[in-house]
Each structure stands twice: as structure tokens, then as C-alpha cells.
Amino acid sequence: MIAKIKTFDFKINTIISGKYRILKKIGKGHEGEVFLVEEITSQIKRAAKFFFPHRNKGHKVSTSIAQKMYNMRNSDIFIQYISHEIILHKDVEISVLVSELVMGET
């Protein structure tokens, strides 16, 4: 059975994948939640979408989105993909897509 997480309870300054620090939650939707994160080494701000496991069985949705973002990397109107991470959160694998930070309406 896949864990049904309704919200991620990350504390500010939580380190993800050993390279990103969570700064604040900036959105929530059907597939998951988006957080403002900062690269630890460069202090560059990024967006990180954390997928609810029950909406992303076998990491298929996040993988498909990552591939689409990569394929659109030369588009000036598309958010630029950085990486697809898989983390453990409360002993559950969670997919995380990291992208360039775009504030405002997309």
C-alpha cells in the first residue's frame, strides 16, 4: 500500500539530498507541494516540487514531467529543469523535481 501523505511537514532549514535547504512552502496542488529551496553551496534559490506518493506510483508521474521539462529545455517560455531527486521522508520514498525559480503567474 502506498502512503497517503496530505502535506509535507518540513521544517525551515531542513536539508534535502544533502544539497538543498528548505526555506518555505510556496504552493500546493493535486500532485504535491512546492517549496522554495536554496542550494547550500551557491545560495541560489530554486523551486522544488515534492510529489505525494499516492499520486506518483513508481515515480512515473515525476519521471514523465522531468522528461518533458528536459525536452523543452530550449524553450524561452518553459521553466528550466534542474534535477529529479528521490528522498526518504518518514521511511517513504518521495520524488522531488528541482527547477529554476519563477515567481508570479506561470
Side-chain angles (χ1 to χ4, degrees):
M1 186 165 146
I2 296 177
K4 190 164 186 173
I5 296 173
K6 294 183 180 186
T7 189
F8 294 105
D9 55 353
F10 299 123
K11 294 184 180 357
I12 302 303
N13 293 321
T14 297
I15 305 298
I16 301 298
S17 291
K19 50 188 155 182
Y20 301 104
R21 178 185 331 278
I22 291 186
L23 300 179
K24 70 178 181 175
K25 182 164 47 171
I26 57 177
K28 181 175 182 169
H30 178 73
E31 296 172 331
E33 296 178 331
V34 179
F35 288 80
L36 173 65
V37 299
E38 177 182 69
E39 289 182 7
I40 294 171
T41 56
S42 67
Q43 287 82 49
I44 294 173
K45 307 289 190 287
R46 304 276 187 213
K49 181 174 182 176
F50 294 77
F51 287 80
F52 298 136
H54 64 283
R55 301 272 184 221
N56 188 33
K57 294 176 183 161
H59 308 288
K60 290 180 183 176
V61 173
S62 58
T63 299
S64 175
I65 293 171
Q67 290 168 342
K68 288 174 187 174
M69 291 174 78
Y70 175 76
N71 289 335
M72 297 294 293
R73 68 190 175 279
N74 295 323
S75 171
D76 292 334
I77 60 169
F78 206 81
I79 297 170
Q80 297 299 305
Y81 166 78
I82 305 293
S83 69
H84 184 199
E85 311 281 334
I86 296 180
I87 65 165
L88 274 181
H89 176 64
K90 296 183 178 179
D91 296 325
V92 177
E93 283 190 351
I94 305 294
S95 289
V96 183
L97 287 185
V98 180
S99 65
E100 292 292 330
L101 177 64
V102 177
M103 297 303 287
E105 296 221 15
T106 54

